[in-house]
Amino acid sequence: MKYFIGRLRSRPFIDFCLFAIAGAIILAVFSIVPQSRFGANLWNLSNYVFPSIYGSIAGGLLGIWSGRLRRSLHAQTSMQERYHDLFENASDLIQSVALDGSVLFVNRAWRDTLGYCDSEVSSLNIFDVISPDDHHQCRQRFESLISGGVVNSAEVTFLRKDGCPVLVEGNVSLRFENDQPHSLRAIYRDISERKAAEVKIHQLAYYDKLTGLPNRTLLQDRLVHAIADAKRFDHHLGVMFIDLDHFKKVNDTLGHHIGDLLLQEAAQRLRDSFRENDTAARLGGDEFVVILSGYRNSVNVPHIAQKILENLARPYTIEGHELVLSGSVGIAIYPQDGTNADDLLRNADMAMYAAKGGRGDSFKFYSESMNRNAVKQLQLENGLRHAIQEDQFFICYQPQVDWESKRIVGVEALLRWNHPEYGLVSPDKFIPVAEETGLIIPIGEWVLRRACKELKQLQVELDIELDLSVNLSGIQLEHPNIVEVILNALHESGLPSEQLELEITESVLVERTDQALKLLHEISSLGVRIAIDDFGTGYSSLSYLKNFPIDRLKIDKSFLVDILHDTDNAAIVETIIAMSRNMGLNVIAEGVEIHDQVEFLTDRSCPLMQGFLFSKPVLPSQLKVLIEQGDKLFE
Ligand code: C2E
Ligand code: MG
Ligand code: MG
């Protein structure tokens, strides 16, 4: 009964009744008015019966239909309002962007987060709010979506109107209209706080709170990676265990606060003693570990250890206290002193105890032979300081030949050191030490001036033209006066700049400092040519080459070894030759020792060669004889 009464009071029933009554009245009136003209009796109720019945049926039906229509319109409007409400009040940033990037609409969270008001949004292009660093990636995403790709979760940095970055993460999708791509819709979450929290957690988990250096956990991780890299690239790796001598005394006498400040300062000095890709970590207390990675040989390690000790030993002024500190350093080298992280750390630790057991303020290698080498190394370093003044250097020249014309077309100047005690020392041993100590600057200048002078003299004596290649260290390219040094060497000797070539290693390209790039362009503008030495060993890529004013690549001698049978080497050499040709570069192969290599190179159109097959590096007097003999070199 209740249900029945409810139905009677419902809106559709009322609609039905109202429309039925209205229909009955309207049809009755409409039917009786025409009849009344012909004399029909308006008071005769039977005249109204049928029109009222038809009218009420039609009205009722119309009532039902209009009720439905009204209800559906109402439902639609309220759905739209709900969606708009959801869209506007969503906490995520929602945006719709036309294919050219102009912003179509955004929600309130978007406007509030990025600081724009309603009227400003319509004139924005989405790239006005995306950080310039992300433009390229975003354009790629746009293009990928338009060409049918899928973009899953995307991270973008937006810039607020006041310039502050806001990191967001979300999904982007493409909208179609009439089967044509129309616009891009995206829903983003602001993840700046989450990212900041992640960084903080990472900092707490992996870094030492006091010094900001990596902690034991991160050290272990970095060491494992460094060992894997050393294995892969056949590099050396050094692990240094550093303990501060008598640090406990500072804590006991001046208190922990001063001790902490001293540790912070010592950590900073350690940081300053290494290259950026070396890792210095604090294990706890006054113990630090340093990983020296990516070295081609371990000759520099004693020098680095010495530098650490000197840096640590400089006096400290902490809150008015003048303090002096020293350290003990133990060194283990991969692979000879251990091939895994635990062994290397343990052995470096043992070596550190041996250093401390002496008088402190010293370093020790884990292996005895390395200790002996280290002493020699430091002696070399001291010896190098006097080598120029004591006239211990001289230059040998190795011919570079053109196999096609069977002529010597140039020579490479190679430095030699006649050590009073050790005799002839190889440049592979002393050049890294000279670089590490900065002595390469005066030594390099000496080589340039002497080589230009000797070659010009030879040219005049023999009345020939001959190119000169001189090796230039990356360190020299960090010194702005290198251009002046080159100009002076050319001027003094009278050698034309087009006859001088400077060989730089790939590491200069990889490290690619602005200074080096600028200087290379200046050098090149003098007419001096630039060659990349030992090409193929230094992980440089084509993209690096394009930025440098390079004239020639020198294929490293290691790739010529067993070239007829080693398919990898053959493929590398072939690729370098083809690549040089494509880039319009000259190419020369070094380390040619046998005729098979000559054949391989000439078959691939690389007629320029240098190597023992033609001649070892020789003194200027011997070079003169070689040139005079001419063809003998090619027999
Ligand atoms: P580099 O510039 O790649 O010089 C080529 C090295 O390969 C020279 O060694 C040369 O004697 C050697 N070599 C040439 N032909 C052959 C061959 O057929 N077979 C073999 N096995 N070796 C060959 P060197 O003279 O011992 O020089 C070693 C490195 O020392 C040079 O490599 C260069 O990087 C550096 N160096 C030499 N002189 C200087 C210099 O004045 N300044 C600088 N910065 N570095 C120099
Ligand atoms: Mg060279
Ligand atoms: Mg070379």
Side-chain angles (χ1 to χ4, degrees):
M1 188 64 186
K2 220 174 170 185
Y3 170 75
F4 187 66
I5 294 172
R7 296 287 295 180
L8 286 182
R9 291 169 68 181
S10 71
R11 185 73 205 234
F13 184 74
I14 294 170
D15 278 350
F16 174 80
C17 293
L18 287 176
F19 272 77
I21 292 165
I25 293 170
I26 291 167
L27 215 70
V29 170
F30 272 97
S31 69
I32 203 69
V33 168
Q35 285 182 40
S36 67
R37 284 202 207 146
F38 306 107
N41 183 0
L42 294 180
W43 301 108
N44 186 355
L45 286 181
S46 63
N47 287 338
Y48 296 99
V49 173
F50 285 107
S52 318
I53 291 172
Y54 296 140
S56 64
I57 292 170
L61 290 175
L62 191 66
I64 293 171
W65 177 78
S66 79
R68 285 199 178 151
L69 185 68
R70 211 176 47 239
R71 276 196 305 282
S72 109
L73 280 175
H74 177 73
Q76 242 182 41
T77 320
S78 63
M79 181 119 75
Q80 266 180 4
E81 275 169 9
R82 273 204 303 271
Y83 277 132
H84 186 258
D85 214 36
L86 264 177
F87 167 78
E88 266 301 287
N89 294 319
S91 55
D92 288 346
L93 284 68
I94 304 175
Q95 66 182 41
S96 174
V97 170
L99 298 184
D100 64 358
S102 47
V103 176
L104 300 175
F105 55 83
V106 298
N107 70 344
R108 190 187 305 144
W110 194 101
R111 292 189 299 273
D112 290 351
T113 310
L114 299 180
Y116 287 95
C117 64
D118 236 346
S119 57
E120 291 168 319
V121 169
S122 54
S123 57
L124 277 179
N125 187 293
I126 197 65
F127 287 98
D128 298 336
V129 285
I130 293 174
S131 155
D133 294 345
D134 286 359
H135 278 194
H136 178 64
Q137 206 182 21
C138 286
R139 278 187 215 285
Q140 276 184 336
R141 271 188 217 137
F142 266 41
E143 280 159 21
S144 154
L145 272 169
I146 292 168
S147 57
V150 181
V151 172
N152 293 323
S153 184
E155 260 186 32
V156 191
T157 304
F158 282 152
L159 292 180
R160 283 175 51 90
K161 196 176 160 193
D162 60 13
C164 289
V166 179
L167 185 62
V168 297
E169 176 194 67
N171 295 307
V172 190
S173 59
L174 184 64
R175 235 190 114 248
F176 289 84
E177 253 178 37
N178 302 327
D179 284 342
Q180 291 299 315
H182 172 266
S183 55
L184 290 149
R185 290 214 175 145
I187 304 181
Y188 292 119
R189 273 171 306 283
D190 180 354
I191 56 165
S192 309
E193 275 181 22
R194 194 186 85 200
K195 276 277 157 174
E198 277 172 16
V199 170
K200 181 115 199 171
I201 290 168
H202 185 266
Q203 186 75 19
L204 288 172
Y206 292 110
Y207 289 86
D208 172 49
K209 227 166 128 193
L210 181 68
T211 60
L213 291 177
N215 64 11
R216 187 186 288 268
T217 317
L218 186 54
L219 168 81
Q220 193 80 20
D221 187 57
R222 296 245 176 111
L223 187 51
V224 169
H225 278 104
I227 292 172
D229 279 352
K231 208 174 274 179
R232 193 146 55 110
F233 299 119
D234 204 17
H235 276 168
H236 283 255
L237 180 95
V239 176
M240 286 188 175
F241 209 107
I242 303 162
D243 191 284
L244 305 180
D245 299 329
H246 314 298
F247 177 73
K248 198 170 165 297
K249 257 194 211 158
V250 178
N251 265 345
D252 291 347
T253 51
L254 298 171
H256 284 270
H257 173 61
I258 299 287
D260 283 354
L261 293 178
L262 183 61
L263 276 176
Q264 284 175 339
E265 175 67 31
Q268 185 55 44
R269 292 190 188 184
L270 276 181
R271 231 186 248 122
D272 296 342
S273 310
F274 308 106
R275 301 175 313 176
E276 233 170 72
N277 45 343
D278 294 329
T279 297
R282 180 175 176 229
L283 290 194
D286 59 353
E287 284 183 344
F288 299 87
V289 168
V290 175
I291 307 169
L292 305 170
S293 49
Y295 289 88
R296 278 180 163 212
N297 52 46
S298 49
V299 290
N300 286 332
V301 176
H303 178 258
I304 299 170
Q306 189 66 35
K307 193 158 119 194
I308 293 172
L309 292 176
E310 283 166 13
N311 278 351
L312 285 177
R314 277 187 287 119
Y316 299 76
T317 311
I318 309 271
E319 293 195 347
H321 300 277
E322 280 279 326
L323 300 172
V324 188
L325 196 65
S326 64
S328 298
V329 180
I331 307 161
I333 301 287
Y334 168 89
Q336 61 258 44
D337 299 337
T339 49
N340 62 47
D342 288 345
D343 287 356
L344 284 167
L345 281 171
R346 194 184 50 247
N347 292 342
D349 193 11
M350 276 169 66
M352 186 276 291
Y353 272 102
K356 221 182 229 329
R359 50 186 167 77
D361 193 19
S362 65
F363 67 86
K364 263 219 174 317
F365 280 88
Y366 175 70
S367 64
E368 208 27 61
S369 64
M370 285 295 286
N371 276 331
R372 275 197 302 277
N373 282 342
V375 174
K376 197 167 161 191
Q377 193 67 37
L378 292 178
Q379 282 172 347
L380 275 190
E381 194 183 313
N382 286 336
L384 265 184
R385 295 186 193 279
H386 312 110
I388 295 184
Q389 286 80 11
E390 294 176 10
D391 213 13
Q392 293 165 5
F393 286 131
F394 62 97
I395 299 177
C396 281
Y397 296 87
Q398 188 176 32
Q400 296 175 332
V401 305
D402 180 352
W403 185 261
E404 233 163 52
S405 62
K406 302 276 188 296
R407 275 189 327 115
I408 297 179
V409 287
V411 290
E412 176 174 6
L414 292 158
L415 182 60
R416 299 288 176 261
W417 182 19
N418 199 0
H419 191 280
E421 198 179 324
Y422 304 127
L424 213 55
V425 184
S426 153
D428 281 333
K429 287 221 158 53
F430 71 81
I431 294 284
V433 180
E435 286 179 334
E436 194 63 42
T437 50
L439 286 168
I440 193 71
I441 301 288
I443 294 175
E445 180 176 350
W446 181 89
V447 173
L448 249 175
R449 293 172 65 182
R450 173 63 69 94
C452 288
K453 195 167 144 210
E454 288 184 340
L455 197 89
K456 182 67 194 177
Q457 214 167 326
L458 195 78
Q459 288 184 353
V460 172
E461 279 174 30
L462 296 175
D463 191 22
I464 51 160
E465 292 211 331
L466 202 58
D467 288 347
L468 169 68
S469 297
V470 177
N471 292 287
L472 202 70
S473 157
I475 311 282
Q476 290 174 270
L477 278 175
E478 292 299 319
H479 258 247
N481 82 337
I482 183 68
V483 180
E484 206 183 309
V485 168
I486 296 167
L487 275 174
N488 280 346
L490 291 171
H491 182 71
E492 268 171 26
S493 61
L495 189 78
S497 59
E498 310 76 57
Q499 285 176 14
L500 178 63
E501 176 180 76
L502 297 174
E503 295 186 6
I504 56 169
T505 53
E506 275 180 287
S507 59
V508 175
L509 306 196
V510 177
E511 282 153 24
R512 219 174 14 163
T513 63
D514 291 345
Q515 169 85 327
L517 189 61
K518 183 173 151 265
L519 288 175
L520 278 178
H521 277 287
E522 275 182 44
I523 293 170
S524 173
S525 68
L526 301 178
V528 174
R529 281 166 293 130
I530 313 271
I532 305 297
D533 205 356
D534 308 339
F535 189 75
T537 58
Y539 324 112
S540 67
S541 72
L542 276 179
S543 57
Y544 290 159
L545 287 182
K546 275 189 289 183
N547 296 328
F548 286 83
I550 292 161
D551 301 281
R552 169 139 91 165
L553 301 182
K554 284 190 87 172
I555 303 174
D556 187 59
K557 53 182 177 286
S558 60
F559 299 122
L560 290 205
V561 176
D562 203 18
I563 198 156
L564 289 191
H565 304 107
D566 186 328
T567 48
D568 284 350
N569 275 356
I572 291 171
V573 172
E574 266 176 9
T575 310
I576 296 177
I577 295 173
M579 189 177 98
S580 313
R581 199 172 303 136
N582 284 343
M583 297 183 74
L585 299 177
N586 206 322
V587 65
I588 181 167
E590 62 181 351
V592 176
E593 294 181 350
I594 52 172
H595 278 285
D596 283 351
Q597 294 166 331
V598 174
E599 206 172 304
F600 182 94
L601 290 165
T602 43
D603 281 354
R604 278 141 190 98
S605 310
C606 175
L608 295 181
M609 304 172 203
Q610 176 183 345
F612 293 168
L613 178 68
F614 311 106
S615 166
K616 293 206 162 177
V618 292
L619 290 169
S621 54
Q622 295 165 302
L623 179 66
K624 192 174 163 196
V625 176
L626 281 180
I627 295 172
E628 280 169 342
Q629 285 175 343
D631 288 354
K632 267 207 158 168
L633 231 55
F634 300 92
E635 281 169 3

